[in-house]
Amino acid sequence: MEYLLTAKEAKQADEYTIREVGIPSLVLMEKAAMAVAEEAQRLSCEGRVLVLAGVGNNGGDGLAAARLLAQQGRQVTVAVAGDRSRSTREWQAQASILRHYPVEVLDAQGFLGRNPGLGEYTVLIDALFGVGLSRDVAGEAALLIEWYNKADAKKVAVDVPSGVDADDGRILGVAARADLTVCLGFAKRGLYLYPGCTCAGKVERRDIGILMPASDGMSPGMYRYTEPLRQLLL
């Protein structure tokens, strides 16, 4: 059995791990990036990689994954959607590190303006939005998602496919359709509820050290059985 968290519960678990347990957010981000890079390599270990990154911590995970993949010899491009002046502190740290690696970083408009071919990349990583998305996706982020969905490549989503509501699986305007979602820490409800489950593809939950606070009575209200049906009936 595993708990399925809401966006609020997932954020509470993150904050508890950072503030009370004492694991720095950049350490969690590095572990998240390692998981994403590893799963991306399993899908396809050849060809070019494109990372679509927002300016929040989900995007920071994507920037770190881009660096790790470049270190493994992959040719990596990053397309950034959003106002970089409003990026998180962790995102800024990852962007600063990334400048020292052979990774091409473009803004969304610059990337789309090149009219990239739908078969130009073998792996696409969606790191535009995390669990906190609560509004319809629009503008350049929506254009990137539409391109992502059309492209002929293996597609990975970081934590939750961008455009899927983490609480109830609703599609917020437009959503990325992944082959594989690398779920970081605890599972999120939207990955298993319709129609979000149709965008998630295979869900690989990776433990990156996030803990659930026990002292404040937090008890998620939804869970799923992971045991074989026959075992549950015995």
Side-chain angles (χ1 to χ4, degrees):
M1 182 182 77
E2 69 176 0
Y3 287 117
L4 303 181
L5 271 59
T6 64
K8 181 179 179 180
E9 291 166 343
K11 288 182 178 180
Q12 288 175 332
D14 287 351
E15 291 173 1
Y16 171 77
T17 302
I18 295 166
R19 297 179 183 177
E20 301 298 327
V21 178
I23 301 178
S25 57
L26 281 173
V27 172
L28 293 176
M29 185 171 282
E30 198 71 14
K31 293 182 73 174
M34 291 173 65
V36 171
E38 183 178 308
E39 295 296 343
Q41 286 285 69
R42 284 180 182 174
L43 274 185
S44 177
C45 60
E46 298 179 346
R48 300 175 65 190
V49 179
L50 173 68
V51 178
L52 305 180
V55 294
N57 282 356
N58 191 262
D61 293 342
L63 297 184
R67 165 172 47 85
L68 294 175
L69 288 166
Q71 286 181 268
Q72 295 179 49
R74 303 297 294 269
Q75 186 176 354
V76 186
T77 296
V78 176
V80 178
D83 183 354
R84 299 190 195 193
S85 69
R86 301 179 64 182
S87 59
T88 64
R89 180 182 61 184
E90 292 83 359
W91 190 97
Q92 292 168 14
Q94 293 294 353
S96 179
I97 295 169
L98 191 60
R99 286 199 291 268
H100 299 277
Y101 292 81
V103 175
E104 180 183 37
V105 180
L106 304 168
D107 60 28
Q109 187 176 6
F111 171 74
L112 293 170
R114 296 197 320 189
N115 193 27
L118 295 177
E120 189 172 336
Y121 302 91
T122 57
V123 177
L124 307 180
I125 298 176
D126 158 37
L128 288 167
F129 300 107
V131 298
L133 184 67
S134 59
R135 66 187 186 281
D136 281 0
V137 180
E140 59 188 20
L143 294 175
L144 285 176
I145 290 174
E146 290 170 357
W147 184 90
Y148 172 99
N149 287 339
K150 293 176 184 176
D152 181 16
K154 297 294 185 181
K155 298 167 185 173
V156 180
V158 178
D159 209 21
V160 176
S162 294
V164 171
D165 189 301
D167 288 347
D168 56 22
R170 287 182 299 130
I171 304 302
L172 299 171
V174 62
R177 296 193 297 271
D179 298 304
L180 172 71
T181 296
V182 185
C183 182
L184 305 171
F186 294 97
K188 284 75 180 179
R189 294 183 182 185
L191 297 176
Y192 298 95
L193 298 175
Y194 183 84
C197 61
T198 66
C199 296
K202 181 181 179 183
V203 177
E204 284 288 347
R205 190 174 71 82
R206 297 292 298 265
D207 182 1
I208 62 171
I210 296 173
L211 300 178
M212 189 181 301
S215 59
D216 63 359
M218 177 178 167
S219 179
M222 185 179 292
Y223 57 90
R224 74 184 188 101
Y225 288 109
T226 55
E227 298 84 356
L229 180 59
R230 181 179 178 85
Q231 182 175 334
L232 292 172
L233 294 175
L234 292 178

